[in-house]
Amino acid sequence: MTRCTVISNNARSDPRAKIASLPAALLRLPGPAGDLVKRIQNYIDGRFVAGDREFADVNPADGTVIAQVMEANEVQVDEAVHSARCALRREWGRLGVRERATRLHRVADAIEKRFDCFVQAEIADTGKPISLASKLDVPRAAANFRVFADLVKMAGLESFQTETPDGAKALNYAVRKPLGVVGVVTPWNLPLLLLTWKVAPALACGNAVVVKPSEETPATATLLAEAMQDAGIPKGVYNVVHGFGPGSAGEFLTRHPDVDAVTFTGESRTGAAIMKAVAPTVKPVSFELGGKNAAVVFSDCDFAEAVNGIGEAVFLNTGQVCLCAERVYVDRKIFNAFVDALKEKAENLNSGWPSDAKTNLGPLISAQHREKVLSYYQLAREEGATAVTGGGVPKFGDDRDNGFYVQPTIYIGLTESARCVKEEIFGPVCHIAPFDSEEQAVAMANDTKYGLAASIWTTNLKRGHRVAQQMNVGITWVNCWFLRDLRTPFGGAGLSGIGREGGMHSLNFYSELNNICIRL
Ligand code: NAD
Ligand code: 6OH
C-alpha cells in the first residue's frame, strides 16, 4: 500500500486519534511541541499550508476527534484563487487536450495506487461502511477522471455552412475554451465522489480549481492533492481551502471577484446564499441541490426486486444521498405486503463499525445532523405517523454509543401535506403511502417543490415509460436506483438545482464556447 503523507503523522500514539482509520501518515505539519493531533492542511499553489485557526474533524462512529483541520483565512483563499489564475498562464494553460487527458488518467492511477488510503480517510470522516467506500466512493473518483479525460478528447463541436439571403457565404464553427478559475464547493455525504465529479470535468476543460470541501469531511480532498502532485498536475491547478460556509472559506471563495464560475453541491438554501454571493459579478453557476424523492411501486412489479431496490434507495449511506427515496408510494393491492417486506429489510441492516466488512448501515455525519433527523422522528409522531420500525437511537453498549447512529425508520399514516412528507430529512427514513390509480401515484410523486430523482417499479414496459416521462425530475430510474452512466445528464428541477452535469453537459458548463464566423 502506498504511504500517504498529506496528513502528518505525529499522532500514532495519541489515544484521541484512534484511527486505524485515518491513513497513518496523512498530514505533513508537525504540531506545536507536545501536540500529537493530526493536522489536515490547505493546499495552495502546490504546497501544503497551515491556516491560522483549527477545527476538529470528528469520527461519526464514536465521536472521537481524528484530526484538527487548518481553516483557511480570507487572505489564503485569495492566494489560492491567485495561484489558480497564475497556473492558467503557465504550462497548464498551454497544454493540448491530449496531454491534459493523459494527466487526468494519471490522477486516476494515483487514486487507485492509494486506494486503501482514500477508503480509510473516507470512512474515518464519514463513518460510512467500508463496503460502500470501497465499492462506490473511491472507484467512482477514479472513474470520474477517466471518463472526462476520454470524453474531452472525443468531443466534437458544432459547425455550420452559412448562406445568407443576400448571398454571403461563411463557415461558422465553435471552439471550446476554459472558463478560467472555478470555485468548487461540496458536501459531506459522498465527499470524494462529488468533489471529483466536478473537478475532473473542470480540469478536462483546462480550468484551474479552488475547492472548498465540507468542514465535516476534509480528508480525501487533501489526499487528492497528493495524487495530483504524483500525476504531474502543475502547481496552482488544484487548490484546497478548508473551512465553513458563511464568514469562512466557502463565502470567501464564492464571492471572490476573480473566480469565474461556481459549481456547488449541497442544500437548496445554501445554493440560494451562493446565488446572492455570485450575483454582483454575474458568475455562471451549476447547482446540484436537495431532494425529496419518490419511489412508485406498482402491483405488477417484481416484488423482490422492488423491495431490494427500495431498501437501497432508502437506507444506502444511512439515507444521506441526495437521490435517496424518502417518499414511497405503493399500489394499495400490495401495500401491506410491501410494508412488511421493507420493515424486514430495515431490521436486518447491520449498524456495525464502519471498518467491519459486514456493516451496511453507518452513523449519520454529525451530532448536529442527528439532532435534525431525530427532530423529524419526533415531528412524525406529532403529525400522527405510525412507526412501522425504528424511530429512535440504537444502543450498542460500546463506543458506538458516543457516535451518531439512528435506527432505520419507516413511517406510515401521514397525510401528504405533513412536513415529514414535504421536507428533506436526509436520514435512513421513509414514509410509505398507498395509491389507487396510476394518475394518483403520478400526482403524489410530483407534489413537491424539489425535482431531483424518482424510481418506478413495474414490469409493464409501457407503464414504465409512460410514468417515467411524467416525472418532474432530472433523473428517473425504472426498476433500478442510482445506476449511473457518467455520460448522461445529471441534475434537478425546482429546488433541486440549476443546470445539468454529466457527459457533454459537464463539458459545456466548464467551458466557454467561442463561435468563429469566417466569410468564404
Ligand atoms: P450544505 O449546503 O450545508 O454544505 C455544502 C457545502 O457548502 C459545504 O462545503 C459548506 O461548508 C458550504 N457552505 C455552506 N454555506 C455556505 C455559504 N453561505 N457560502 C458558501 N459555501 C457554503 O450541504 P451538506 O449538509 O454538506 O450536504 C447535504 C445536502 O446536500 C442535502 O440537502 C443533500 O440533498 C444535498 N446534496 C445534493 C446532491 C445533488 O447532487 N443534488 C448531492 C449531495 C448532496
Ligand atoms: C448525491 O448525494 C449523489 C449524487 C451523485 C452524483 O452526482 C453522481 O454523479 O453519481
Side-chain angles (χ1 to χ4, degrees):
M1 175 175 135
T2 302
R3 277 172 61 84
C4 308
T5 52
V6 189
I7 298 184
S8 75
N9 184 30
N10 52 351
R12 242 182 229 284
S13 59
D14 180 0
R16 283 177 300 165
K18 40 156 66 194
I19 201 103
S21 5
L22 209 59
L26 249 170
L27 284 153
R28 222 170 242 161
L29 184 77
D35 176 354
L36 292 173
V37 176
K38 295 181 181 183
R39 288 194 161 67
I40 297 179
Q41 301 173 82
N42 303 287
Y43 182 68
I44 299 173
D45 203 29
R47 288 191 309 275
F48 292 95
V49 294
D52 48 17
R53 287 198 302 198
E54 294 183 357
F55 59 93
D57 185 9
V58 172
N59 181 352
D62 60 8
T64 52
V65 173
I66 53 178
Q68 291 295 323
V69 189
M70 315 296 290
E71 182 178 353
N73 60 31
E74 190 160 9
V75 172
Q76 290 177 306
V77 173
D78 185 54
E79 283 167 7
V81 173
H82 180 70
S83 114
R85 176 70 56 205
C86 293
L88 293 167
R89 298 195 195 107
R90 294 189 299 249
E91 181 200 4
W92 186 247
R94 292 190 291 271
L95 281 188
V97 171
R98 282 175 65 87
E99 179 58 23
R100 274 208 309 268
T102 300
R103 304 246 185 135
L104 294 188
H105 273 291
R106 284 193 203 134
V107 175
D109 295 343
I111 292 171
E112 284 161 355
K113 200 168 83 178
R114 291 170 174 72
F115 190 87
D116 291 339
C117 287
F118 275 106
V119 167
Q120 294 301 333
E122 203 70 314
I123 71 174
D125 263 0
T126 60
K128 70 177 65 196
I130 191 166
S131 56
L132 185 61
S134 50
K135 283 203 199 89
L136 175 68
D137 299 71
V138 180
R140 253 301 295 278
N144 287 339
F145 283 100
R146 294 204 193 286
V147 164
F148 287 109
D150 291 343
L151 193 71
V152 76
K153 276 197 301 190
M154 306 290 290
L157 282 163
E158 298 157 284
S159 77
F160 299 92
Q161 291 277 354
T162 306
E163 286 181 38
T164 67
D166 60 358
K169 291 189 176 163
L171 171 66
N172 278 281
Y173 68 95
V175 292
R176 194 179 287 290
K177 301 172 66 148
L179 289 168
V181 178
V182 178
V184 182
V185 181
T186 50
W188 43 256
N189 58 334
L190 304 167
L192 183 66
L193 185 160
L194 291 173
L195 182 104
T196 51
W197 174 239
K198 291 175 177 299
V199 168
L203 298 193
C205 291
N207 299 284
V209 298
V210 180
V211 310
K212 209 299 282 171
S214 170
E215 55 275 32
E216 306 283 357
T217 53
T220 46
T222 314
L223 266 181
L224 185 61
E226 197 181 65
M228 293 276 177
Q229 284 183 331
D230 231 31
I233 301 296
K235 68 177 186 176
V237 173
Y238 175 79
N239 301 275
V240 184
V241 290
H242 290 297
F244 303 83
S248 182
E251 182 191 325
F252 303 149
L253 179 62
T254 52
R255 70 163 154 74
H256 196 292
D258 204 31
V259 167
D260 297 296
V262 172
T263 180
F264 167 71
T265 300
E267 278 198 35
S268 302
R269 66 165 178 257
T270 310
I274 293 177
M275 270 190 110
K276 277 195 193 142
V278 303
T281 44
V282 200
K283 296 184 211 315
V285 291
S286 174
F287 285 171
E288 297 179 357
L289 307 176
K292 187 73 184 178
N293 310 302
V296 181
V297 187
F298 289 96
S299 57
D300 58 16
C301 69
D302 176 325
F303 190 79
E305 182 180 67
V307 171
N308 284 333
I310 292 175
E312 290 270 294
V314 175
F315 299 117
L316 190 87
N317 207 38
T318 318
Q320 302 167 119
V321 180
C322 57
L323 308 159
C324 276
E326 292 191 2
R327 299 180 295 137
V328 182
Y329 298 106
V330 181
D331 189 318
R332 195 180 297 278
K333 293 197 273 299
I334 59 166
F335 182 78
N336 289 338
F338 184 87
V339 170
D340 289 347
L342 199 66
K343 172 181 191 288
E344 192 185 334
K345 192 115 199 116
E347 291 174 354
N348 281 329
L349 289 167
N350 182 359
S351 290
W353 286 99
S355 53
D356 183 339
K358 294 191 295 299
T359 298
N360 51 16
L361 191 75
L364 294 169
I365 189 70
S366 64
Q368 193 190 7
H369 188 52
R370 182 163 75 167
E371 280 310 301
K372 175 184 159 185
V373 171
L374 290 176
S375 77
Y376 277 102
Y377 285 10
Q378 170 65 24
L379 180 64
R381 286 190 285 275
E382 288 163 16
E383 290 185 314
T386 301
V388 172
T389 186
V393 172
K395 286 279 165 283
F396 298 104
D398 60 29
D399 287 348
R400 283 171 293 171
D401 289 332
N402 303 321
F404 314 129
Y405 289 84
V406 293
Q407 291 174 329
T409 297
I410 299 171
Y411 291 113
I412 56 172
L414 289 171
T415 62
E416 284 300 291
S417 60
R419 280 181 54 204
C420 288
V421 178
K422 289 279 168 266
E423 298 173 14
E424 183 187 51
I425 301 173
F426 221 55
V429 53
C430 70
H431 178 252
I432 315 182
F435 65 81
D436 294 300
S437 69
E438 187 178 304
E439 294 69 29
Q440 188 191 14
V442 168
M444 287 163 117
N446 279 338
D447 186 13
T448 170
K449 290 192 163 56
Y450 290 101
L452 187 58
S455 62
I456 315 293
W457 302 84
T458 176
T459 52
N460 178 329
L461 185 64
K462 282 191 177 172
R463 195 204 306 262
H465 285 287
R466 187 168 64 230
V467 173
Q469 291 184 21
Q470 292 175 77
M471 293 293 105
N472 296 333
V473 296
I475 308 137
T476 304
W477 280 288
V478 180
N479 298 325
C480 57
W481 175 78
F482 204 2
L483 197 170
R484 295 281 286 117
D485 179 326
L486 306 188
R487 298 167 298 183
T488 58
F490 186 96
L495 277 186
S496 293
I498 296 182
R500 294 290 182 275
E501 297 196 35
M504 288 305 297
H505 302 274
S506 296
L507 298 192
N508 288 337
F509 175 73
Y510 293 104
S511 53
E512 208 65 85
L513 294 182
N514 174 9
N515 184 70
I516 297 164
C517 176
I518 301 181
R519 178 137 196 177
L520 297 176

